[in-house]
Amino acid sequence: MTPSPVWHPFTQHALEPPMKRIVATEGAYLFDEDGNRILDAISSWWVITHGHRHRGIMAAIREATEAYDQIIFAEFTHEPAEILAERLLAFAPSGLKHVFYSDSGSTAVEVAIKMALGTFHNRGIARDRIVVMEHGYHGDTIGTMSAGERGVFNAPFEPLLFGVDRLPFPELGREQETLDAFEAICRSGKVAAILVEPLVLGAGGMKFYGSAVLSALKEIAGRYGCLFIADEVMTGWGRTGTRFACEQAGVTPDILCTSKGLTGVPCRWRQLFAQQRFSRPICLPTDARPFSIRVPIPPTQSPARRLSPICRSGKTNRSKPGLPSLPRSTAIICDASRTTIDL
C-alpha cells in the first residue's frame, strides 16, 4: 500500500499500522475495502447520532446546496441560521436567549472562556481566573488545553498555556471537598467563571459524579457572581438520558457549549448559548474597533431541517416532552461549519 499523506489525529504514525480504508457507510456500520463490516460504536467521534447517511439528512443537504454556500455573517444573516437559532433555544434549557455559531467543540469552549473574561473586562471588573475540574477535557486549542488536564498530548505546548484553578474531582463520599475548594477560590473575588463537563468527564476516563454536586457548584458560582459554563460537547443531545446533562441537576448554565450530535452529518457544527444578563457587556462601544475573531457560519439549512421533527416531538432519548422551567436567561455556542470569516 502506498504511504498515505494524511496526518491522522491522536496517532503515532511511526508505531501504528496503516489505517483501514473505508469505502462506504450505512446506518451504524463502516465498510472497508476488504469487505469487512465494522460497527461504528463511537458514532464517528460522537457525531453520527442518527446513523450514517440518514436519508432525510442527506436529502436536506443536497437541497440546501442549491441555494446557499458561504455567506459573510458580519454584515448579513440568512433564514436557515435564524430559524435554527430559534429552534435551538426552544430545545435547550429554559431561559437561553442567544446562539453563537462556532466551528468545533474546542472553539465553542474557547469562545465561552473569552466571553466570560470579556464580560468582566468590559465592565471594568478585575476578574480573570477560570476554575476547572481535574481530569477534565475541553479541546485542543490553546485556551481549552489550558483548561484541560495537562499530559502527553499538550506537554509540547506548555509554554503557551495559561494557569487555571483546578478543583479535585468529586469522588464518591468526598464531594464536599470539591465544593469547599471552589468556595475558597471564589472568596478571592477574582473568579470570572467555572467550566465543567456536567455529570460525566469523557476523555478523562468516563468519571461520573452526582447531579447534587453540579447543582451545588452552580449555586456557589451564583452566590459569588461568577459565570457557570457547561461543556456539553460530549454530554449533550440525549447522551445522558436528558437533552442536556444540566437538566438532571435543574441547572441553567450562564453559557452552554454544545457540538457533535447536533448535526448528525458529515459537517462539523457547534453552538454556544449565553445569558442575556452578560451578553450586553460583550458588545463594544460604537467608537471601539472590533476585536478579530474567526466566526464560522452554517452555510446550509440542513441542521435546522433535521432538528425540525425533534423539536416538534419535544423529545430525544427520553419519553417526557417539554423542558423544565428554569429561572434566568442563558446562551449557547455551536460548531457551525468548516468555513470562516473575520468579524
Side-chain angles (χ1 to χ4, degrees), residues 250-310:
V251 164
T252 298
D254 295 297
I255 305 177
L256 187 152
C257 304
T258 183
S259 176
K260 303 289 188 184
L262 167 65
T263 58
V265 297
C267 62
R268 299 175 302 161
W269 199 354
R270 312 294 180 265
Q271 303 84 16
L272 175 144
F273 302 77
Q275 285 206 18
Q276 178 78 26
R277 69 183 178 89
F278 84 90
S279 62
R280 293 193 185 96
I282 294 175
C283 299
L284 299 177
T286 55
D287 60 347
R289 286 180 58 86
F291 55 89
S292 179
I293 182 171
R294 302 290 288 176
V295 185
I297 64 170
T300 73
Q301 63 182 4
S302 58
R305 291 172 59 86
R306 187 190 64 75
L307 191 59
S308 177
I310 302 177

Side-chain angles (χ1 to χ4, degrees), residues 156-193:
F157 317 109
E158 189 71 31
L160 301 176
L161 308 185
F162 57 81
V164 296
D165 295 306
R166 298 183 189 278
L167 304 178
F169 179 78
E171 300 285 358
L172 186 63
R174 303 180 63 178
E175 295 89 347
Q176 193 59 45
E177 294 178 21
T178 302
L179 302 179
D180 291 344
F182 182 40
E183 186 149 16
I185 296 170
C186 285
R187 291 194 189 103
S188 69
K190 297 294 185 180
V191 176

Side-chain angles (χ1 to χ4, degrees), residues 75-340:
E75 301 174 55
F76 304 97
T77 188
H78 53 78
E79 186 178 17
E82 298 289 340
I83 293 173
L84 177 61
E86 292 174 358
R87 291 179 179 177
L88 285 168
L89 293 175
F91 192 77
S94 178
L96 293 167
K97 298 297 183 183
H98 301 281
V99 174
F100 184 98
Y101 294 117
S102 181
D103 72 301
S104 71
S106 294
T107 55
V109 179
E110 188 95 9
V111 170
I113 293 173
K114 292 173 69 175
M115 281 186 170
L117 296 174
T119 294
F120 292 103
H121 174 82
N122 291 341
R123 287 173 171 170
I125 301 173
R127 286 178 175 249
D128 58 6
R129 300 300 298 176
I130 302 296
V131 179
V132 299
M133 193 176 288
E134 68 175 351
H135 307 306
Y137 174 80
H138 301 286
D140 297 298
T141 54
I142 295 300
T144 56
M145 285 192 296
S146 299
E149 188 75 8
R150 306 295 171 86
V152 63
F153 288 118
N154 51 40
F157 317 109
E158 189 71 31
L160 301 176
L161 308 185
F162 57 81
V164 296
D165 295 306
R166 298 183 189 278
L167 304 178
F169 179 78
E171 300 285 358
L172 186 63
R174 303 180 63 178
E175 295 89 347
Q176 193 59 45
E177 294 178 21
T178 302
L179 302 179
D180 291 344
F182 182 40
E183 186 149 16
I185 296 170
C186 285
R187 291 194 189 103
S188 69
K190 297 294 185 180
V191 176
I194 177 173
L195 165 65
V196 298
E197 296 168 86
L199 302 187
V200 189
L201 274 59
M206 292 300 171
K207 296 174 70 69
F208 289 76
Y209 62 95
S211 59
V213 174
L214 189 65
S215 179
L217 289 172
K218 178 63 165 61
E219 187 277 326
I220 294 170
R223 184 150 35 93
Y224 285 91
C226 57
L227 301 175
F228 189 92
I229 304 173
D231 178 355
E232 295 241 23
V233 170
M234 191 275 287
T235 57
W237 303 107
R239 192 162 283 111
T240 65
T242 50
R243 290 167 174 171
F244 295 99
C246 285
E247 295 178 40
Q248 298 186 40
V251 164
T252 298
D254 295 297
I255 305 177
L256 187 152
C257 304
T258 183
S259 176
K260 303 289 188 184
L262 167 65
T263 58
V265 297
C267 62
R268 299 175 302 161
W269 199 354
R270 312 294 180 265
Q271 303 84 16
L272 175 144
F273 302 77
Q275 285 206 18
Q276 178 78 26
R277 69 183 178 89
F278 84 90
S279 62
R280 293 193 185 96
I282 294 175
C283 299
L284 299 177
T286 55
D287 60 347
R289 286 180 58 86
F291 55 89
S292 179
I293 182 171
R294 302 290 288 176
V295 185
I297 64 170
T300 73
Q301 63 182 4
S302 58
R305 291 172 59 86
R306 187 190 64 75
L307 191 59
S308 177
I310 302 177
C311 293
R312 286 198 298 268
S313 69
K315 62 183 73 177
T316 52
N317 289 353
R318 61 177 183 172
S319 58
K320 295 182 180 179
L323 288 168
S325 177
L326 298 174
R328 307 171 67 182
S329 60
T330 313
I332 309 177
I333 302 179
C334 328
D335 172 351
S337 80
R338 295 178 184 174
T339 54
T340 62

Side-chain angles (χ1 to χ4, degrees), residues 48-60:
I48 309 296
T49 48
H50 302 290
H52 288 279
R53 296 194 301 117
H54 184 284
R55 290 182 179 179
I57 298 174
M58 296 297 101

